[in-house]
């Protein structure tokens, strides 16, 4: 008979076609095809089903039985307490009398008090028996250990499924905790009371909110519980009532299976109410949309659930490993006490299995694939495995997880009953000549080989490379290790950063003899879960509390804006700083929110990431005015740049491209560079955030290395500047003079927002503004402006007839805007003169000296400092020579003092007006 199948994740669900998943046949009897199961699930070669009886009488009967058991236990407790009181009173009374010693022979039952004690003792034994029976009856979720996967295929029909027995078949409701079972029963009662006919996911979800653990999940997510309950009630009211007996829907059974398997995967002993949440949302799209409207999605819920699961694992860590490791020796011996002493190794190594036994290792989260890859490499015959990955991604935690599983004996046979020791390379090499270090390593290898129960771990194994005793015939330390691994004298695990693997180990004997397992940077969700295993430490240390949103924001922003470190390490560092700052600024027991995370990362990267304040909003809306406070004219250029900055700050731009990219065209001295400096100061806060590159220095193809660096360690000027300051303005001066290969680099930058440097690192340019300047068509622009041709027409002519002679069309099209700067007229030069003199005025005011100027003097300076060929550039030099130098001479000659005023006359001459004396 064909099966109706529905695959979700790695779990296979099979619904009985005869009863459509209800498990019932006509007149309420069990379906013969599926024996009442209705729906089953297959996972890891095991079959999961539910025979939980959910009817009003069955629920009442369970409650009645539970109540009777409680009464019996209470009565037995009371009887035991009475017996103890009777014994105490009898001892007291006998001690007060002068009776003979045999009066204490209470076993003779001469006293009613002694008889009461014996009866109560029987009651105590009855209680102990009942509790042991209840504990034995409670089904716990059994963890699937490594290599214990059952090799059974999916059943071809339900008759085959009915034949399967024993451990191959798991009844899931027996693994429900009391609170989970209570939530299920309440869901049935709700559906039955409302006459909805079937128990649906929303019935179960509504009752989950009554559970403290589930409610805490949404509390961590800052969900308004009253609003959520009100919306759920509206959805429940929309369900039509039917005149049919209430039964469990197939979706609910699938939820049971998925919840059980979720608890199994996470190593939980029981299915708790929180395990129902995600399976419910996967099957009720309306409920998912409801939560999405409250800014709650699948990832957020999953990460908070994992936070609770991880916290429980941390609390139980000590007790769990003490129980699991009670047969694991606390010294160098194995269980058979056959190991030999390893004094030299013990001196230079740290016992990770012993640390795992006492729960001293950090919890490893989400690295099951890497652990499995290590085991598979060892089982395939390799005696060495090398973990290669960036710094801070958790290579050492993976090794710690292997140590834990060695304690639990949840490892391949070749690792069972063994110790995992970490060799301290720095200690091995400290104070030793290469020959001495080689001797130490040889002795350690010999001790490992003789002991027979040791697995060696070497962190940063590249430190062994290049160290040799000095003779021509002598080997490097790494080659000594290679020889031992090749001879199968030891099993060795090691770690190395990805860069050092390529530089020192790849295509070398050490790289050939060890299987490589890559450890990649985790995605944001996995990084959040990894950090959740550490967050409790920082909450206790700094006495603050993290919301889930603050952790997620720290991970998101550090992943996006911090490029020289990797997750989860860089986010952990950020969170520690956040906790310290919040504790100091807000006080203990304060809540860390999203803005606290954004503020710290903004402070470190100089990128504005916090919410836009009212004051900042005013600045953004008035950017043109602010730019014009130090920039005269060029209205089109200023408007285009200001608009792009507003889009960037409100995140209304393509996130995979630079903030903005412009090509400024115009004659020399018209303000192209000055506008770039102004943008750097106004948007980034300082002109220092401008990376200025003179493209005339990159005219040769060989200069490419100067720009991006080389594999042998030479750092590129551009890539290194942006890597250190990712939030900056890049000014490409005289763009047309660069070699075409250099221009191709910027084609990629403006298209993809990233560039790979000479060391293979990806440099992010998405937080940069790129401004290129060029003098192409400068004479043409001047002539057309004099002829009264509109700027837009001049720009079109430049792009079509002038620029394509120097730049590729696809390169020109990558710019967000091509801006033509007009030649300056005398009114603009006079305004620029005032700006320059105002700078001098601010410098003098800091010394208590004033400055005034005559309008005629301004016109005189402007006429002297303006050159049609060079624009306003000679003006800067003129003011320096004619004004600033003269003021400096007067100060030195003691002719200019505090409270005096400098007067610039009609002929641009400098006079001093003496101030009043005090």
């Amino acid at each position: 008979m064909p099966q109706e199948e529905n695959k979700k994740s790695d779990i296979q669900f099979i619904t009985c076609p005869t009863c459509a998943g209800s498990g019932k046949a006509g007149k309420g009897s069990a379906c013969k095809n599926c024996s009442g199961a209705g729906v089953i699930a297959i996972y890891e070669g095991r079959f999961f089903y539910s025979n939980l009886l959910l009817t009003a009488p069955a629920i009442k009967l369970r409650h009645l039985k539970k109540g009777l058991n409680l009464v019996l236990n209470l009565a037995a407790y009371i009887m035991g307490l009475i017996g103890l009181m009777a014994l105490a009173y009898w001892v007291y009374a006998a001690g007060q009398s002068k009776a003979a010693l045999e009066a204490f022979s209470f076993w003779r039952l001469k006293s009613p008090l002694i008889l009461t004690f014996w009866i109560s003792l029987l009651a105590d034994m009855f209680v102990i028996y009942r509790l042991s029976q209840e504990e034995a009856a409670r089904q716990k979720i059994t963890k699937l250990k490594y290599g214990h996967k059952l090799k059974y295929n999916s059943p071809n029909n339900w008759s085959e499924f009915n034949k399967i027995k024993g451990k191959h078949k798991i009844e899931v409701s027996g693994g429900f905790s009391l609170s989970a079972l209570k939530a299920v029963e309440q869901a049935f009662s709700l559906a039955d009371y409302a006459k909805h006919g079937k128990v649906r996911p929303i019935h179960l979800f509504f009752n989950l909110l009554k559970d403290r653990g589930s409610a805490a999940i949404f509390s961590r997510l800052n969900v308004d519980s009253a609003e959520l309950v009100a919306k759920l009630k509206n959805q429940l009211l929309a369900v039509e009532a039917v005149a049919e007996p209430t039964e469990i829907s197939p979706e609910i059974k699938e939820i049971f299976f998925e919840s059980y398997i979720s608890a199994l995967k996470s190593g939980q002993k029981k299915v708790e109410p929180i395990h129902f949440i995600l399976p419910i949302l996967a099957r009720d799209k309306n409920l998912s949309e409801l939560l999405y409207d409250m800014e709650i999605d699948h990832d957020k819920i999953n990460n908070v659930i994992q936070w609770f699961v991880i916290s429980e694992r941390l609390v139980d860590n000590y007790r769990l490993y003490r129980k699991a490791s009670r047969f694991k020796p606390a010294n160098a011996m194995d269980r058979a006490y056959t190991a030999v002493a390893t004094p030299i190794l013990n001196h230079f190594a740290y016992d990770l299995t012993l640390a795992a036994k006492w729960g001293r290792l950090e919890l490893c989260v989400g690295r099951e694939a890497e652990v499995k890859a290590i085991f598979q490499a060892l089982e395939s015959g390799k005696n060495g495995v090398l973990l290669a990955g960036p710094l801070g991604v958790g290579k050492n935690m993976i090794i710690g997880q292997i140590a834990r599983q060695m304690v639990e004996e949840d490892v391949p046979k070749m690792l069972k009953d063994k110790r995992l020791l970490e060799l301290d390379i720095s200690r091995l090499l400290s104070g030793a000549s290469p020959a001495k270090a080689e001797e130490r390593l040889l002795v350690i290898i010999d001790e490992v080989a003789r002991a027979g129960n040791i697995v060696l771990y070497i962190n940063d194994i590249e430190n062994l490379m290049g160290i040799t005793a000095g003779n021509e015939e002598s080997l490097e330390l790494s080659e000594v290790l290679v020889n031992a691994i090749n001879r199968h004298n030891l099993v060795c695990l090691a770690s190395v950063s990805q860069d050092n693997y390529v530089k020192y180990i790849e295509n070398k004997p050490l790289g050939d003899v060890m299987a490589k397992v890559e450890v990649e940077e985790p995605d944001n969700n996995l990084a959040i879960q990894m950090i959740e295993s550490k967050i409790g430490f920082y909450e206790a240390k700094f006495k603050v509390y993290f919301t889930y949103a603050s952790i997620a924001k720290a991970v998101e922003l550090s992943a996006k804006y911090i490029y020289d470190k990797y997750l989860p390490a860089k986010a952990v560092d950020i969170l520690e700083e956040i906790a310290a700052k919040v504790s100091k600024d807000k006080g203990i027991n304060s809540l860390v929110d999203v803005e606290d995370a954004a503020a710290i990362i903004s402070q470190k990267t100089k990128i504005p990431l916090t919410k836009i304040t009212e004051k900042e909003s005013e600045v953004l809306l008035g950017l043109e005015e602010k730019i014009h406070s130090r920039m005269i004219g060029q209205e089109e250029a200023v408007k285009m740049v200001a608009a792009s900055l507003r889009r960037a700050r409100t995140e209304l731009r393509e996130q995979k491209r630079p903030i903005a990219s412009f090509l400024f065209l115009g004659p020399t001295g018209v303000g192209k560079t000055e506008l770039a400096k102004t943008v750097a100061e106004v948007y980034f806060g300082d002109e220092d955030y401008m990376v200025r590159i003179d493209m005339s220095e990159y005219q040769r193809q060989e200069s490419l290395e100067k720009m991006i660096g080389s594999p042998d360690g030479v750092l590129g000027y551009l890539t290194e500047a942006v890597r250190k300051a990712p939030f900056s303005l890049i000014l490409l001066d005289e763009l047309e003079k660069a070699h075409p290969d250099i221009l191709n680099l910027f084609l990629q930058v403006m298209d993809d927002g990233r560039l790979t440097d000479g060391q293979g690192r990806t440099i992010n340019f998405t937080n940069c503004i790129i401004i290129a300047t060029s003098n192409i068509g400068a004479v043409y622009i001047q002539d057309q402006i004099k002829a009264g041709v509109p700027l837009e027409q001049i720009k079109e002519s430049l792009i079509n007839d002038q620029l394509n002679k120097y730049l590729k069309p696809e390169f020109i099209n990558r710019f967000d805007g091509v801006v033509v700067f007009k030649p300056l007229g005398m009114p603009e030069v006079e305004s620029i003169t005032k700006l320059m003199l105002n700078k001098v005025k601010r410098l003098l005011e800091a010394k208590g000296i004033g400055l005034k100027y005559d309008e005629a003097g301004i016109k005189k300076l402007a006429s002297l400092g303006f050159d049609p060929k060079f624009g306003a550039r000679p003006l800067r030099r003129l003011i320096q020579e004619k004004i600033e130098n003269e003021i400096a001479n007067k100060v030195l000659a003691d002719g200019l003092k505090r409270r005096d005023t400098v007067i610039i006359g009609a002929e641009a001459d400098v006079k001093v007006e003496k101030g009043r004396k005090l």
Side-chain angles (χ1 to χ4, degrees), residues 771-800:
I771 295 178
T773 68
S774 175
N775 295 328
I776 296 173
V779 176
Y780 174 79
I781 294 171
Q782 289 177 324
D783 293 342
Q784 295 297 302
I785 290 292
K786 289 179 181 177
V789 179
L791 268 180
E792 192 62 33
Q793 188 176 332
I794 295 173
K795 183 168 74 173
E796 288 182 12
S797 180
L798 279 170
I799 294 173
N800 296 329

Side-chain angles (χ1 to χ4, degrees), residues 227-300:
E227 180 185 358
L228 178 58
V229 169
K231 290 185 176 183
L232 289 174
K233 286 181 178 179
N234 289 335
Q235 288 208 3
L236 285 168
L237 290 172
V239 180
E240 293 184 7
V242 293
E244 296 177 3
T246 304
E247 60 184 30
I248 303 175
S249 65
E251 291 87 354
I252 290 291
K253 292 183 179 179
E254 289 185 4
I255 289 168
F256 289 171
F257 302 147
E258 197 167 332
S259 302
Y260 187 97
I261 293 169
S262 174
L264 173 67
K265 288 179 178 179
S266 59
Q268 302 293 103
K269 295 177 181 178
K270 286 283 184 180
V271 175
E272 299 293 342
I274 61 172
H275 294 119
F276 292 137
I277 297 175
L278 289 177
I280 288 173
L281 297 180
R283 289 160 179 82
D284 192 325
K285 298 304 178 186
N286 290 333
L287 192 53
S288 296
E289 288 297 317
L290 185 153
L291 290 176
Y292 190 82
D293 290 343
M294 301 179 77
E295 299 184 353
I296 305 299
D297 58 21
H298 174 278
D299 288 341
K300 289 181 179 179

Side-chain angles (χ1 to χ4, degrees), residues 410-428:
D410 183 16
V411 289
K413 187 176 181 180
M414 65 180 302
L415 293 180
K416 289 185 176 180
D417 198 17
K418 287 193 170 53
R419 303 163 61 205
L420 178 59
L421 272 68
E422 180 180 353
L423 184 61
D424 190 339
I425 294 295
S426 59
R427 193 169 187 181
L428 178 74

Side-chain angles (χ1 to χ4, degrees), residues 16 37 104 169 203 291 315 344 358 383 444 462 498 558 616 741 848 851 866 870:
C16 175
F104 288 93
K169 209 170 175 182
H203 296 115
L291 290 176
V315 170
I344 304 300
W358 300 111
N383 267 42
I444 287 171
E462 70 273 15
Q498 189 62 47
S558 60
E616 186 183 5
D741 286 353
L851 183 140
F866 177 63
F870 299 104

Side-chain angles (χ1 to χ4, degrees), residues 822-838:
K822 299 183 296 184
L824 298 174
M826 188 54 68
E828 286 87 3
V829 176
E830 290 175 4
S831 297
I832 293 171
T833 304
K834 289 180 181 179
L835 283 178
M836 291 182 176
L837 288 178
N838 285 336

Side-chain angles (χ1 to χ4, degrees), residues 807-822:
L807 305 172
K808 295 178 181 179
E810 61 267 28
F811 183 72
I812 299 170
N813 291 334
R814 291 300 188 279
F815 286 103
D816 295 329
V818 177
V819 184
V820 176
F821 280 66
K822 299 183 296 184

